[in-house]
Amino acid sequence: MTMNNQAKTLADLTPGQSGVVNTVGGEAALHRHLLDMGITPGVKVLLNKTAPMGDPVEIHLRGYSLTLRLEDAAKITLRQEEDK
């Protein structure tokens, strides 16, 4: 039995992996900024690539690409994608 109770975050993904946003954290201003950029619960995100040193990361969502600092990506939790 696997013990995996820790939530996966956007920062945990590797290039080519995707997930569905579960929660968006951060302080009030950062939280609002992430939501304004379209990172909202239920949206599918794909990690396109990471910078050579691992920070920042480029994600694709809602038909566009967005670059985030790894520290901010760690505040976005993901859930498993549902098969439809």
Side-chain angles (χ1 to χ4, degrees):
M1 184 152 123
T2 305
M3 296 288 287
N4 190 8
N5 293 335
Q6 191 171 9
K8 190 173 201 176
T9 70
L10 190 52
D12 297 326
L13 296 181
T14 58
Q17 288 185 317
S18 62
V20 176
V21 175
N22 190 37
T23 61
V24 180
E27 297 296 317
L30 174 62
H31 178 81
R32 179 84 250 161
H33 186 61
L34 293 172
L35 293 174
D36 288 344
M37 290 189 294
I39 304 171
T40 57
V43 72
K44 182 178 176 182
V45 294
L46 167 71
L47 184 72
N48 281 342
K49 58 186 172 183
T50 60
M53 299 299 286
D55 191 15
V57 296
E58 181 183 283
I59 62 170
H60 185 81
L61 70 152
R62 299 182 187 267
Y64 65 93
S65 293
L66 180 67
T67 303
L68 290 176
R69 295 183 310 166
L70 204 55
E71 178 183 341
D72 295 341
K75 294 179 171 108
I76 301 164
T77 63
L78 303 174
R79 67 174 186 253
Q80 285 294 104
E81 293 181 58
E82 293 101 19
D83 292 327
K84 296 194 178 187

